Amino acid sequence: MPRTPAPRPSASPALDARVALLRRAAHAEPRLEGVLLYGSWTTGEADAYSDIEAYLFLGDGHADTFDGPGFLRALGRPALAHTNQFGILAMVFEDDLMRGEFHFEEAGAGIAAVEGWQGMVHLPDPDAAVLLDRTGRLTEAAARLTAPLAPEPVESAAHLTGELANWTLMLAHVLARREDARAHNLLHAMVAPLQLKLCRLLRGTTDHWLTPSRAAEEDLPAADLARYTATTAPLAAAALRAAARASWQWSRELAAEAHGRWGTPVPEALHARIAGLLARD
């Protein structure tokens, strides 16, 4: 029988209302076997700017013919509906510009894969996240995602130390080539998330491990935020090179702190050579 868990309020009444609409529409659609929410609503972090994100599991044979955008009109008139670069149906609702991301998958393989999401998806309250489960399989799989898997510190610190050296060396080469736009992107899109992960690992604030910039203002000490700020720069040559040097200095300090705590290896000679490259104008 379909499950109907009690609604739970969040800090976003609009999102609560849209979740309720999705639950109602899902129960009325016999081709759906299960619906599972993920994201900020399921972790208790939703606010007025949050999205609605869900997996919709279809009975085998229906996934290729199901009209996802048409079904989701029950949640509101779309201002935008398109399949994004990850193959996910992305929607924007016209009334409040709330974003939505919806995965439509066959129930057989899709639900079987859910328990393998450990470490990637955290559902502290599976009963709230499971909006529809006609067979019980989805609830059983979601129950395995109740606890976040903290990264193993030694292996993670060693990996991040290596990644920071690798990507910062590339950054130094790109700067030397005077490809400033590409260097700007490397610094902010590749290096910074790795630094924030290593910083979170050292500070014991890994709840937002997969998106390390999320809630950094609340999760990290002011001194770390100041170091992070120093690694950011406008696309101007002098400022970009100063930020790259500050970034590498912070990376080296984080790697040294990890070495002192866990004994993770630090290739000092390579680190010094990267610093020398970045010191050039």
Side-chain angles (χ1 to χ4, degrees):
M1 294 294 291
R3 300 174 67 259
T4 310
R8 72 170 207 182
S10 75
S12 174
L15 182 53
D16 293 346
R18 196 152 268 132
V19 167
L21 289 172
L22 177 57
R23 178 186 287 110
R24 188 178 309 128
H27 279 263
E29 174 49 71
R31 290 172 292 178
L32 281 171
E33 182 176 316
V35 174
L36 180 68
L37 292 179
Y38 66 99
S40 60
W41 193 86
T42 62
T43 59
E45 297 178 292
D47 60 20
Y49 309 102
S50 294
D51 309 329
I52 180 169
E53 300 152 310
Y55 276 80
L56 296 94
F57 298 104
L58 290 146
D60 293 346
H62 295 299
D64 292 335
T65 59
F66 191 77
D67 180 8
F71 168 76
L72 291 169
R73 282 183 173 272
L75 279 62
R77 182 191 299 273
L80 175 69
H82 77 111
T83 301
N84 67 18
Q85 68 267 38
F86 304 110
I88 301 166
L89 177 59
M91 295 189 70
V92 175
F93 294 98
E94 188 177 85
D95 58 348
D96 55 7
L97 296 184
M98 184 182 293
R99 295 180 61 255
E101 293 187 355
F102 304 96
H103 309 244
F104 291 88
E105 298 189 0
E106 285 199 352
I111 292 177
V114 169
E115 64 181 72
W117 296 353
Q118 294 180 55
M120 296 183 291
V121 175
H122 176 211
L123 301 178
D125 184 358
D127 283 341
V130 177
L131 301 188
L132 172 70
D133 184 7
R134 298 191 191 277
T135 67
R137 294 193 305 132
L138 183 56
T139 300
E140 182 178 353
R144 299 178 183 273
L145 308 177
T146 55
L149 291 185
E152 195 284 317
V154 178
E155 180 180 343
S156 299
H159 173 75
L160 290 165
T161 297
E163 284 281 84
L164 285 166
N166 175 59
W167 287 109
T168 305
L169 176 58
M170 183 176 181
L171 171 65
H173 288 164
V174 171
L175 283 169
R177 197 182 288 137
R178 302 293 175 178
E179 291 186 274
D180 285 354
R182 187 180 177 194
H184 185 272
N185 181 68
L186 272 171
L187 181 63
H188 296 91
M190 297 301 301
V191 177
L194 297 169
Q195 289 172 319
L196 288 172
K197 280 194 168 184
L198 185 51
C199 184
R200 284 184 175 278
L201 195 67
L202 289 162
R203 305 296 174 256
T205 58
T206 58
D207 284 352
H208 296 113
W209 181 252
L210 296 179
T211 309
S213 59
R214 183 181 177 91
E217 295 83 355
E218 290 77 35
D219 291 350
L220 296 177
D224 289 321
L225 287 174
R227 298 302 298 273
Y228 170 74
T229 300
T231 73
T232 64
L235 184 50
L240 180 59
R241 282 154 179 77
R245 289 190 285 270
S247 170
W248 184 230
Q249 180 60 36
W250 190 35
S251 292
R252 296 184 74 181
E253 291 175 17
L254 291 170
E257 186 177 346
H259 172 75
R261 185 176 305 181
W262 297 302
T264 48
V266 177
E268 294 288 358
L270 174 61
H271 281 201
R273 293 181 70 182
I274 294 172
L277 293 175
L278 290 171
R280 299 174 183 174
D281 289 332

